[in-house]
Amino acid sequence: MHYSPLEPDRATMDEMGRLVLDRVVDRTEKLADRPAASPLSRQGEADPVKSFLAPPPDRGGDLKALLARLDEAADCALETAGPGHLAYIPGSGLYSAALAEFYNRAVNRYGGLASVAPALAALEESVIRWMARDVCGLPDSSGGLLTSGGSMATFSATVAARHERLGDDLTGGTVYTTAFAHHSVAKAARLAGIRAAHIRTVPHTPDLRMDPHAAAAMIRADRDAGLRPFLLVATAGTTDTGTVDPLPQLAGLARREDVWFHIDAAYGGFFRLTARGAERLTGIEEADSITLDPHKTLFMPFGTGALVVRDLAALHAAHDGTGSYLQDMGAAGSVPDSGRLGPELTHEIRGLRAWLPLHLHGVDAFREALDEKLDLAEHVHETLSGVTELEVPQRPDLSTVIFRVRPADTGHASAQLADEASRRLLERINGHRRIVLSSTVVDGRYTLRVCVVSHRTHHDRIAEALRIITAETKHRTTA
């Protein structure tokens, strides 16, 4: 019998699997007690980084020792899977999704063309249709594809909009968005061939939302100047503040001006599963295309994004392509080929990591978890608003709360001093390593953020976070 280390027998596979599973379960069980930030200093991180830059050896190693090294690498990082990660927009990662991925990577089915694995392609299509129709409220003509993340979803949406509204001549093509849009919006436009000078930043209202009247004026002025407005991009939950743009008004504007209406709902979209989220995100159903990130508010592993579109034919027309080497691949009936809806041909069956948790836990479990995050964010807002030394500019639309040190007066110099105090406050808060917050700039002011998204973050950790924030704020004023 031929032996190859690349083809272990059943006993070896079982032993290897047990070693990995035991470590994963042990780490997951201890997440609440792990530091939220890397316990290593920048200098301390240099040694493991150097170690992992080494090339692979000629002779194989011991799995147990290699897993220990992987633990070292995983520890040299923000604990993005834990309950204390309140920075950026967390992606906590479900254990059931990890199990789905283990199974998925082992069976290793091809996902670019439906005929290669028609039932698994249908599984993935069911997830996409649920997102498009049940979550976002798009019509039966809708569909889409799963992507590696929101950036790739936004890029494909931009390409579809460009193809439908501009054709092959991109001259004068102009895009409209805001200062609070994710940077991938402008990047997608540039990658799609749109001149940077034709990516317009629409002014925002005092409550940080796109101003529909300003957008309308810009579009009309550009048309009068001979340009070709073709894409309006709103945000349903900005990365900076979690703010939702006025979607119904912007949808109406897009229809009147005959431009493609894209909504970046990477962060906010799945809050539509809740009653409060559905109300606050009214208007999503009017979009031509929507970016979603299941690795944010559906708690999936990083690398799980989605694009859903009102008219699947428009996505197909912009991305279709084939070659003679694919002539043996037949059509799979009602299931579209994802490789003809986006730039990627070869990819795994991405839907399994969402399908298994949704079917195992049920949609209600996700709805309840998202409702809890909205409750926790409201609690954070209420508590921080009662700290006199802090300025809390707005109520959260979703689960992000922003705050900063209150200036002593209205002068510019006072604002600068308050910004510097906010920087030091963030350092002290994160220095506890029980929670990690991040910062942004809002209308020129340095601003701290609490973003409650992880499915592992509950009231106990938020209560601890508020004690730390309050104590460190008071410490600044008494030190």
Side-chain angles (χ1 to χ4, degrees):
M1 182 177 178
H2 176 73
Y3 168 75
S4 168
L6 303 180
E7 298 182 75
D9 58 24
R10 184 184 183 94
T12 305
M13 285 191 289
D14 186 67
E15 179 184 4
M16 294 168 71
R18 179 54 58 185
L19 284 172
V20 174
L21 183 63
D22 284 348
R23 282 182 178 270
V24 168
V25 170
D26 185 61
R27 291 184 68 89
T28 302
E29 188 180 37
K30 296 176 180 177
L31 278 173
D33 298 323
R34 294 178 57 78
S38 172
L40 302 176
S41 66
R42 289 296 182 191
Q43 185 61 38
E45 291 175 350
D47 289 340
V49 168
K50 181 179 180 181
S51 169
F52 278 94
L53 286 172
D58 289 333
R59 307 294 295 179
D62 174 69
L63 177 59
K64 192 171 184 179
L66 292 171
L67 289 172
R69 290 194 63 202
L70 289 180
D71 277 347
E72 179 185 13
D75 289 344
C76 181
L78 284 177
E79 186 48 86
T80 50
H85 187 54
L86 305 172
Y88 310 104
I89 301 178
S92 45
L94 291 168
Y95 179 71
S96 54
L99 293 178
E101 275 301 277
F102 177 74
Y103 179 88
N104 193 31
R105 299 299 181 168
V107 300
N108 195 34
R109 294 297 184 258
Y110 180 85
L113 298 171
S115 62
V116 178
L120 288 174
L123 174 156
E124 183 162 298
E125 177 68 6
S126 75
V127 171
I128 294 164
R129 290 182 183 180
W130 173 76
M131 292 179 184
R133 302 170 192 181
D134 293 40
V135 176
C136 294
L138 296 179
D140 289 345
S141 60
S142 63
L145 74 161
L146 297 181
T147 67
S148 58
S151 294
M152 186 59 75
T154 299
F155 174 65
S156 288
T158 304
V159 169
R162 181 200 69 186
H163 183 270
E164 182 174 280
R165 301 304 170 100
L166 299 179
D168 293 332
D169 181 8
L170 309 188
T171 304
T174 308
V175 177
Y176 303 84
T177 185
T178 75
F180 295 109
H182 194 272
H183 80 276
S184 62
V185 172
K187 183 177 181 179
R190 294 196 309 272
L191 290 174
I194 305 304
R195 293 178 55 193
H198 291 166
I199 303 171
R200 302 285 192 241
T201 301
V202 178
H204 55 268
T205 56
D207 59 355
L208 310 180
R209 308 180 201 281
M210 183 187 286
D211 185 337
H213 301 294
M218 293 178 80
I219 291 172
R220 287 193 295 269
D222 283 340
R223 278 200 208 284
D224 292 344
L227 298 179
R228 300 164 69 198
F230 78 98
L231 175 60
L232 175 65
V233 182
T235 306
T238 60
T239 302
D240 294 276
T241 65
T243 304
V244 179
D245 282 331
L247 305 180
Q249 296 95 313
L250 294 171
L253 171 63
R255 284 194 300 271
R256 291 192 300 273
E257 296 293 340
D258 192 29
V259 297
W260 183 286
F261 185 38
H262 177 74
I263 297 177
D264 178 0
Y267 163 34
F270 289 107
F271 281 105
R272 289 254 307 179
L273 293 172
T274 71
R276 283 173 289 179
E279 181 181 356
R280 295 169 191 176
L281 297 168
T282 296
I284 272 191
E285 67 280 1
E286 301 297 327
D288 291 300
S289 56
I290 303 165
T291 291
L292 298 167
D293 255 351
H295 66 226
K296 292 184 173 74
T297 41
L298 212 57
F299 320 126
M300 299 298 160
F302 288 124
T304 314
L307 170 65
V308 295
V309 296
R310 172 171 297 277
D311 182 6
L312 192 62
L315 197 60
H316 186 272
H319 293 88
D320 192 21
T322 189
S324 58
Y325 51 86
L326 297 175
Q327 65 186 9
D328 299 327
M329 300 296 178
S334 60
V335 180
D337 292 328
S338 61
R340 294 189 168 101
L341 300 175
E344 298 175 286
L345 178 60
T346 299
H347 64 81
E348 75 281 19
I349 299 288
R350 289 187 173 129
L352 189 52
R353 72 187 72 155
W355 181 89
L356 183 63
L358 285 167
H359 283 257
L360 178 65
H361 306 304
V363 175
D364 279 350
F366 293 87
R367 182 177 291 111
E368 290 162 7
L370 291 171
D371 257 326
E372 179 194 29
K373 308 315 159 195
L374 294 174
D375 289 340
L376 292 174
E378 290 178 5
H379 177 56
V380 171
H381 176 267
E382 180 181 354
T383 302
L384 295 184
S385 295
V387 179
T388 56
E389 296 86 354
L390 295 178
E391 188 175 68
V392 185
Q394 62 182 49
R395 295 194 68 85
D397 281 354
L398 300 174
S399 65
T400 299
V401 180
I402 58 172
F403 67 98
R404 56 199 174 216
V405 172
R406 186 183 300 277
D409 56 52
T410 58
H412 178 67
S414 183
Q416 286 186 313
L417 288 173
D419 284 354
E420 184 54 40
S422 294
R423 289 188 182 90
R424 294 195 300 270
L425 176 60
L426 179 64
E427 291 175 1
R428 294 198 303 274
I429 291 168
N430 289 349
H432 286 254
R433 292 200 169 94
R434 288 292 295 166
I435 57 169
V436 172
L437 308 186
S438 59
S439 67
T440 188
V441 175
V442 177
D443 286 345
R445 291 291 313 281
Y446 184 92
T447 303
L448 281 67
R449 305 167 62 261
V450 177
C451 186
V452 190
V453 169
S454 171
H455 70 285
R456 297 187 176 98
T457 300
H458 304 295
H459 189 274
D460 59 337
R461 188 57 60 106
I462 291 301
E464 183 178 4
L466 290 170
R467 287 195 296 271
I468 291 171
I469 294 169
T470 302
E472 292 298 346
T473 299
K474 299 292 185 182
H475 169 77
R476 181 192 76 87
T477 59
T478 57

